[in-house]
């Protein structure tokens, strides 16, 4: 008996996710990652999609590149994209990655000298239902080191927003303090990080690709002036401000970074394995 259309799509995505997961590297691969002060790291990026409140058919894909360690804006790009395919919990990457990947490829085509050496993703990496979230997906397809930084706890694999979790947060005394996010299997999938002395609410850091968890946490803290690391925070500040086609500049279209609606990006096909082959054949973004 044929599967319902949405179940058939989920089955396809599960296969593709498993194939891409085999390419994941969860350790340090760059020399700057092993240095205490990250010597050699000059550019850090941040990406996300923002959605119009009450509109589940349009989104703004954003890429910001900052200098490191100064954290000054070197490049910003915002593009309005149209959404079409169904949103399915646990498969966020299939609606967001194509547009974010295209933003990176556009930068590589137009200003390759400004390509980020690491990308902060507003979302999760290994800290995910199947240990392959948006930051992993984008990292594998782009070939770039990626870090997932989530502002809210994903309650998954036995990690819960309970009294024990609240107690662990209270024990974070200063910026840089952390505690592990441990799955039922015993594997550490990420860390909660108090990112600054002035913010008692942590962010949740996990490996995306080509970086270790400890390095991801250290770099996230190094990029924080406030609670949210600057590559992601600047993405909010500069959202769509330079795009003539974006409605964000009008009060009628307030944007939110929360994932709303039941749609997925239409601009780039969802066949991510084909995208991966294109990436490998035409150079990594």
């Amino acid at each position: 008996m044929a599967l319902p259309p949405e179940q058939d799509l989920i089955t396809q995505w599960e296969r593709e996710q498993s194939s891409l997961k085999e390419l994941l590297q969860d350790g340090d691969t760059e020399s700057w990652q092993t240095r205490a002060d990250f010597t050699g790291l000059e550019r850090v990026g941040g990406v996300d999609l923002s959605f119009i409140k009450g509109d589940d058919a349009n989104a703004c894909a954003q890429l910001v590149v900052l200098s490191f360690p100064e954290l000054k804006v070197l490049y910003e790009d915002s593009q309005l994209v149209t959404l079409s395919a169904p949103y399915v919990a646990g498969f966020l990457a299939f609606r967001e990655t194509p547009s974010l990947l295209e933003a990176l490829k556009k930068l590589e085509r137009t200003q390759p000298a400004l390509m980020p050496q690491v990308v902060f993703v507003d979302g999760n990496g290994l800290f995910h239902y199947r240990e392959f979230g948006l930051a992993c997906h984008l990292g594998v397809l782009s070939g770039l080191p990626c870090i997932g930084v989530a502002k809210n706890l994903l309650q998954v694999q036995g990690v819960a927003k309970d009294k024990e979790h609240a107690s662990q947060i209270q024990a974070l005394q200063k910026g840089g303090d952390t505690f592990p996010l441990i799955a039922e299997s015993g594997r550490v999938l990420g860390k909660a990080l108090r990112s600054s002395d002035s913010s008692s609410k942590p962010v949740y850091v996990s490996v995306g690709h080509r970086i270790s968890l400890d390095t991801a946490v250290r770099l996230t803290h190094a990029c924080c002036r406030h609670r949210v690391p600057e590559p992601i925070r600047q993405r909010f500040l500069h959202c769509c401000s330079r795009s003539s086609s974006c409605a964000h500049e009008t009060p009628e279209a307030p944007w939110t970074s929360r994932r709303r609606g039941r749609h997925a990006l239409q601009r780039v096909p969802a066949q991510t394995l084909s995208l991966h082959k294109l990436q490998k054949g035409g150079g990594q973004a």
Side-chain angles (χ1 to χ4, degrees):
M1 185 172 64
L3 293 172
E6 185 167 294
Q7 184 57 52
D8 188 56
L9 182 62
I10 291 173
T11 300
Q12 174 192 339
W13 283 353
E14 285 176 340
R15 287 197 301 266
E16 293 184 9
Q17 203 172 61
S18 295
S19 296
L20 290 174
K21 188 176 178 180
E22 293 179 3
L23 304 174
L24 178 68
Q25 299 179 57
D26 60 358
D28 292 329
T29 62
E30 309 302 304
S31 57
W32 60 260
Q33 295 169 337
T34 64
R35 298 169 184 147
D37 59 356
F38 300 111
T39 300
L41 178 61
E42 299 178 349
R43 298 172 305 282
V44 295
V47 295
D48 188 35
L49 253 69
S50 293
F51 291 80
I52 301 174
K53 292 180 179 178
D55 184 344
D56 61 3
N58 296 285
C60 183
Q62 301 141 68
L63 166 64
V64 174
V65 181
L66 309 182
S67 62
F68 185 88
E70 301 84 4
L71 301 177
K72 302 296 184 182
V73 176
L74 300 175
Y75 174 89
E76 56 182 295
D77 180 54
S78 300
Q79 296 293 326
L80 195 64
V81 294
T82 302
L83 315 178
S84 64
Y87 164 74
V88 181
F91 296 93
L92 178 67
F94 286 90
R95 68 168 179 166
E96 296 205 356
T97 300
S99 187
L100 301 179
L101 184 62
E102 178 58 31
L104 289 166
K105 292 167 70 175
K106 175 185 174 184
L107 174 57
E108 185 183 42
R109 290 192 304 269
T110 59
Q111 299 186 64
L114 294 181
M115 281 293 290
Q117 294 163 274
V118 60
V119 178
F120 285 85
V121 179
D122 186 13
N124 293 291
L126 285 178
F127 187 52
H128 177 264
Y129 303 95
R130 287 168 299 282
E131 300 179 17
F132 198 80
L134 176 60
C136 299
H137 207 119
L138 181 64
V140 168
L141 289 179
S142 69
L144 294 170
C146 284
I147 300 171
V149 181
K151 296 180 289 296
N152 297 300
L153 178 69
L154 181 65
Q155 300 187 71
V156 63
Q157 295 208 36
V159 179
K161 195 173 183 179
D162 53 17
K163 289 183 179 179
E164 180 183 0
H165 187 76
S167 176
Q168 290 174 309
I169 290 176
Q170 280 191 321
L172 301 176
Q173 296 299 306
K174 63 183 185 305
D177 286 354
T178 67
F179 64 83
L181 303 170
I182 305 174
E184 291 172 318
S185 65
R187 185 180 185 188
V188 176
L189 299 181
K191 288 187 177 182
L193 166 69
R194 178 166 177 170
S195 47
S196 73
D197 291 338
S198 60
S199 177
S200 59
K201 190 175 181 181
V203 292
Y204 300 96
V205 182
S206 57
V207 168
H209 183 52
R210 291 182 58 193
I211 195 166
S212 68
L213 180 57
D214 287 344
T215 301
V217 170
R218 284 198 303 116
L219 183 57
T220 301
H221 185 226
C223 288
C224 285
R225 292 175 175 168
H226 305 278
R227 180 189 173 216
V228 177
E230 289 298 298
I232 294 176
R233 181 172 174 271
Q234 288 294 329
R235 191 275 307 163
F236 284 113
L237 295 178
H238 293 272
C239 171
C240 307
S241 63
R242 300 299 175 85
S243 175
S244 60
S245 64
C246 181
H248 186 204
E249 296 173 291
T250 67
E252 293 80 17
W255 292 79
T256 174
S257 65
R258 295 301 85 210
R259 278 79 180 178
R260 296 178 182 271
R262 294 176 50 78
H263 297 262
L265 289 169
Q266 182 180 30
R267 174 170 293 190
V268 182
Q271 286 81 3
T272 53
L273 288 180
S274 298
L275 280 172
H276 176 69
K277 292 175 182 176
L278 286 171
Q279 283 295 98
K280 290 298 182 183
Q284 293 180 341

